[in-house]
Amino acid sequence: MSNADRVTDTKKPSVLSRTVLGFLASTLSASVGRNGYYIASAWILVEAGYGSASVGTVLTIVSVVEFIASPLAGVAADRFDRRRLNIAADLSRFVVLLVTACAFFYLDAFVTICLSAALFAFCDRVALTTSQSMIPVVVRGAGLATSNSIVFFAVQFGCLGAALLAGPLLNELSPALVFTVLAAFFVASAASLGWVRLDRASDRVYAANSFVPNTDLVRHFAVYALLYGGAVLVSVMGSGFVFEEQQGTAVDFGHLEAAWSAGSLIGAGLLARLTRTISTHTLHLMLLGSTALALMALTPLSAPWTLAIFAALGLFYNLGRVSVEVTLQSRVSDRVLGRAKGAMHSLAVGLGLIIFGIAAVLGDRVFPSTIFFGFGVALLAGVYVLSINFAKQKGE
């Protein structure tokens, strides 16, 4: 089957397959735990009076760890059994959250979350790289666009569940109990993945192969990095945007995260249809441009219209992310897929570090909506550069 056929084929994976069901259950559980962790961490810091700058600091730590861990996780995913590595990473995340819950009784909230985030980020990157590298194997024989849409639908459904769960938990429970509840989701993820059985050919360990991305893949990496940058910005400034500019509560912050996740759910379901009607490059440019305009629109708008904007941002991000993932899986051999994902994520995290640096320098001296507007302008510039680059390649 050609790469193009693999991307646009609409054949659905067997939803009754034990392998697919176990993998989706693991993906869903881990998504709730992972996103609940970051939502809870951000709100606890802001509510404790540390402001958006503290969230930026914590996510900077996460990004530095991910920048280092991404290539290592990619190599590990290509050299070791991906299913077992994923289970080990899930159990490690469970332990980190339990230790974090205990640390709240002895350490300051900011110190606790900083230390926790460093450990969590490493385990999380191993889990995500191995899990996403397993997708072509788990859904072998089905179209990549449809299969990835289903998997990422489960991811975003987990994000939505985490957003709806985080608000009530943060209002009713202490930080230690919140992290204890979230830790249970990683045990459920590991148990579900333990139920999965891959064929022997899929489990084989590959010898080390070099991976050198071509110009086309680098362009897709750039698209992923820009979309990732927008998502990072929402993570850094979202809590401050609600708390400072909208004078909202933890529940309001949960609604914002839920709006993002609801939009992402729609985005995951649209890809299979869009790949049959529009070219990948055109789709990416449209998504980047739409994201830029949505971010810029946050400045003059107020609630509840901002919820619609965040839903749109979630839709654009997830649609673009799934599209890039499908492209990567269709054009890169399974032997080096882990390393390809590691390289792509490292580039994205590099951009994220720049964003964190800007957020740290500006601190609480400017409104979050102003930073959203500035990044929107930068995205439009990125769209212009990518369109020129693509035009030159076609001319050659």
Side-chain angles (χ1 to χ4, degrees):
M1 182 178 287
S2 68
N3 289 338
D5 290 336
R6 291 175 67 199
V7 173
T8 59
D9 180 21
T10 57
K11 179 182 176 182
K12 295 182 180 180
S14 173
V15 293
L16 298 179
S17 164
R18 171 180 173 178
T19 297
V20 173
L21 283 176
F23 184 76
L24 290 177
S26 173
T27 299
L28 177 63
S29 298
S31 180
V32 174
R34 177 181 189 271
N35 288 278
Y37 173 85
Y38 285 116
I39 292 172
S41 296
W43 186 259
I44 288 169
L45 288 174
V46 172
E47 191 176 44
Y50 291 103
S52 296
S54 67
V55 180
T57 300
V58 170
L59 291 180
T60 299
I61 294 172
V62 170
S63 293
V64 171
V65 173
E66 288 192 349
F67 187 78
I68 297 171
S70 289
L72 299 176
V75 172
D78 290 339
R79 295 298 302 274
F80 302 106
D81 184 292
R82 291 171 181 169
R83 184 181 69 88
R84 293 179 180 176
L85 195 58
N86 199 345
I87 291 174
D90 277 339
L91 295 178
S92 298
R93 289 188 287 187
F94 165 73
V95 172
V96 168
L97 262 67
L98 286 186
V99 172
T100 302
C102 295
F104 276 112
F105 294 107
Y106 304 100
L107 299 175
D108 175 76
F110 180 68
V111 174
T112 297
I113 291 178
C114 284
L115 295 174
S116 171
L119 296 172
F120 184 85
F122 183 86
C123 302
D124 192 53
R125 182 39 43 192
V126 173
L128 289 175
T129 301
T130 53
S131 176
Q132 291 166 8
S133 298
M134 286 169 60
I135 294 176
V137 174
V138 170
V139 298
R140 190 177 298 281
L144 286 180
T146 301
S147 301
N148 275 270
S149 293
I150 292 173
V151 172
F152 279 90
F153 186 88
V155 170
Q156 294 306 322
F157 194 77
C159 292
L160 178 60
L164 295 176
L165 182 66
L169 286 179
L170 289 166
N171 268 348
E172 302 295 333
L173 303 178
S174 67
L177 287 177
V178 170
F179 280 98
T180 301
V181 171
L182 294 174
F185 286 97
F186 293 114
V187 174
S189 176
S192 299
L193 204 55
W195 195 46
V196 170
R197 290 294 180 268
L198 303 179
D199 58 76
R200 292 183 179 180
S202 301
D203 278 337
R204 68 182 181 271
V205 177
Y206 295 121
N209 285 21
S210 61
F211 169 69
V212 181
N214 56 33
T215 305
D216 184 54
L217 280 180
V218 169
R219 186 170 64 247
H220 285 88
F221 286 8
V223 171
Y224 177 84
L226 291 172
L227 290 170
Y228 178 86
V232 162
L233 195 63
V234 171
S235 298
V236 175
M237 309 305 299
S239 55
F241 180 73
V242 172
F243 191 77
E244 297 166 15
E245 292 195 50
Q246 311 244 309
Q247 285 78 51
T249 65
V251 174
D252 295 318
F253 181 49
H255 290 164
L256 182 148
E257 292 285 348
W260 168 280
S261 298
S264 297
L265 283 171
I266 299 173
L270 287 178
L271 179 65
R273 295 183 180 181
L274 286 178
T275 53
R276 299 197 299 269
T277 60
I278 187 172
S279 71
T280 301
H281 181 71
T282 302
L283 175 63
H284 290 168
L285 292 182
M286 289 176 56
L287 292 173
L288 288 174
S290 298
T291 299
L293 295 177
L295 287 171
M296 295 166 72
L298 285 171
T299 301
L301 295 179
S302 59
W305 297 107
T306 51
L307 291 180
I309 294 296
F310 278 99
L313 287 170
L315 187 153
F316 301 147
Y317 169 69
N318 206 45
L319 184 54
R321 178 187 174 187
V322 178
S323 177
V324 173
E325 291 282 354
V326 169
T327 301
L328 189 66
Q329 292 170 17
S330 64
R331 300 183 185 182
V332 174
S333 167
D334 191 52
R335 292 175 177 272
V336 294
L337 183 56
R339 274 158 283 184
K341 291 187 62 60
M344 181 174 73
H345 194 72
S346 289
L347 177 62
V349 171
L351 176 60
L353 284 171
I354 295 175
I355 294 173
F356 294 143
I358 294 173
V361 170
L362 295 178
D364 298 319
R365 288 175 290 186
V366 299
F367 289 121
S369 59
T370 303
I371 299 178
F372 286 142
F373 187 90
F375 187 73
V377 174
L379 276 182
L380 290 179
V383 170
Y384 177 73
V385 172
L386 287 172
S387 61
I388 291 178
N389 177 267
F390 183 71
K392 286 182 177 179
Q393 279 196 321
K394 288 188 69 176
E396 295 173 355

